[in-house]
Amino acid sequence: MPHTVTLIPGDGVGPELAQAARRVIDASGVAIEWEVQDAGLGVMEKEGTPLPDRVLDSVRRNKVALKGPITTPRGGGFRSVNVALRKALDLYACLRPCKLYPGVRTRFDKVDLVVVRENTEDLYAGVEFEAGSAEAKQIISLAAGKIREDAAISLKPISGFASERIVDFAFRYARDNGRRKVTAVAKDNIMKATDGLFYRAAREVAKRYEGKVARAMPAMAVAGSDLAIEYDEWLVDAMCMQLVQKPELYDVLVMPNLYGDILSDLCAGLVGGLGVAPGANIGDDVALFEAIHGSAPKYTGQNKVNPTALILSGVLMLRHLGEKDAADRVEKAVAAVIAEGKYVTYDMKPDRNDPTAVGTKEMAEAIAARMTP
Ligand code: NAD
């Protein structure tokens, strides 16, 4: 039985990347029926909304989607389709593995981090009040002189439910993938109410996993060595410094939405940049796989940007579908092409103007050609 997967090409460079990822995933030999659903800027012009119901219906029906980036207009215009998708489908966990492949230009020797970002609340909840609005005035009146009269306000809700759920996801991920440590990241010295609550929930979850053996280490389990998944905490500012100095000391990092957004870009930078950083948004019922990067509008239609991030998002998708062998084949082919350094896009060359850099399509073809069925 083939898997049916919703493919959302997106806009900007999305469609060319989606085509490249589809080409490589199909070359792995796995049977996937792609249900293509357009969304984003062009769809807004044609259908009056960038995210028609048919897209959501398709993802709900198939339960798995691969998505190219979608533009969010700055200032005015429609709100983020990416955030709307995560909310509508309750994709509460954002998983962003940042692994260094030999051949990638970076300052580090070994980085293998996984950022787990809470996806549903925090400053991304979309509860915002313009300066001078009646609601802003009401909140200012409650704040006992702590907020200026002319302030705009964005609220930061953090709940016990969502915090517990995301930290539990991080520990489950660690347990199932042979990871040794979960680090909770927030800033409770300043945000005592919200971030304090996040850490309290994290500590409760950590207690439940004390002494649990990481499943991907069966040899150790048989030997009876009861490897606990270690738990520690860092304040987000100190964590940033730790990560750029000693990334090898960290493993799975779990944090609220905004810190997760920022730190996953930071971690992507440690392993070679946005062009190689995959991601997944996962809920209890549905999972949507997409690169960290955006629609890079200035490169639209130029066959220029790096398809690796979306292809590696496809690797995460294949693992989610239980297609481990196909996932390993694709990942190995990506690693081989990167290590060789010949058929790679401009961003992976020492000089960005290197005329030997290949295009999106050519890099995908080189990866597909490396695949042993
Ligand atoms: P961006 O990630 O699109 O691009 C920033 C720069 O990073 C690019 O100019 C390019 O130099 C580089 N880059 C990005 N992807 C690359 C790739 N695959 N290969 C090589 N280089 C790459 O960020 P932005 O310019 O801030 O955002 C553009 C649009 O994308 C915005 O509308 C933003 O809201 C949206 N966005 C969407 C998503 C998503 O769909 N999940 C995520 C982030 C941003």
Side-chain angles (χ1 to χ4, degrees), residues 10-13 17 41 67-74 78 80-83 85-86 96 117 261 265 272-277 281 288 290-299 304-310 345-348 352 360:
D11 57 34
V13 293
L17 292 176
L41 278 180
K67 172 186 164 293
I70 294 180
T71 306
T72 306
R74 292 185 75 170
F78 55 82
S80 166
V81 171
N82 310 303
V83 175
L85 268 166
R86 291 168 205 160
R96 291 179 165 180
R117 164 186 173 191
D261 192 10
D265 269 30
L274 289 174
V276 294
N281 295 290
L288 182 145
E290 63 178 333
I292 292 183
H293 65 72
S295 55
K298 69 179 176 197
Y299 293 126
K304 185 166 170 86
V305 296
N306 193 339
T308 303
L310 195 60
T345 45
Y346 77 101
D347 56 308
M348 304 198 83
R352 291 194 150 224
T360 308

Side-chain angles (χ1 to χ4, degrees), residues 116 163 166-167 170-171 181-188 195 198-203 206 230-236 239 250 252-256 259 263:
V116 175
S163 302
I166 196 65
V167 179
F171 270 93
K181 180 156 87 170
V182 173
T183 303
V185 182
K187 196 162 173 69
D188 66 339
D195 292 18
F198 179 80
Y199 279 131
R200 283 198 299 282
R203 283 169 211 149
E230 201 185 319
Y231 169 75
D232 68 353
E233 296 175 355
W234 278 91
L235 295 179
V236 63
M239 186 82 254
Y250 301 93
V252 176
L253 312 173
V254 61
M255 61 204 84
Y259 307 141
L263 260 65

Side-chain angles (χ1 to χ4, degrees), residues 233-252:
E233 296 175 355
W234 278 91
L235 295 179
V236 63
D237 43 349
M239 186 82 254
C240 289
M241 196 181 70
Q242 286 288 315
L243 286 171
V244 296
Q245 287 194 315
K246 308 170 214 165
E248 69 283 0
L249 296 185
Y250 301 93
D251 193 338
V252 176

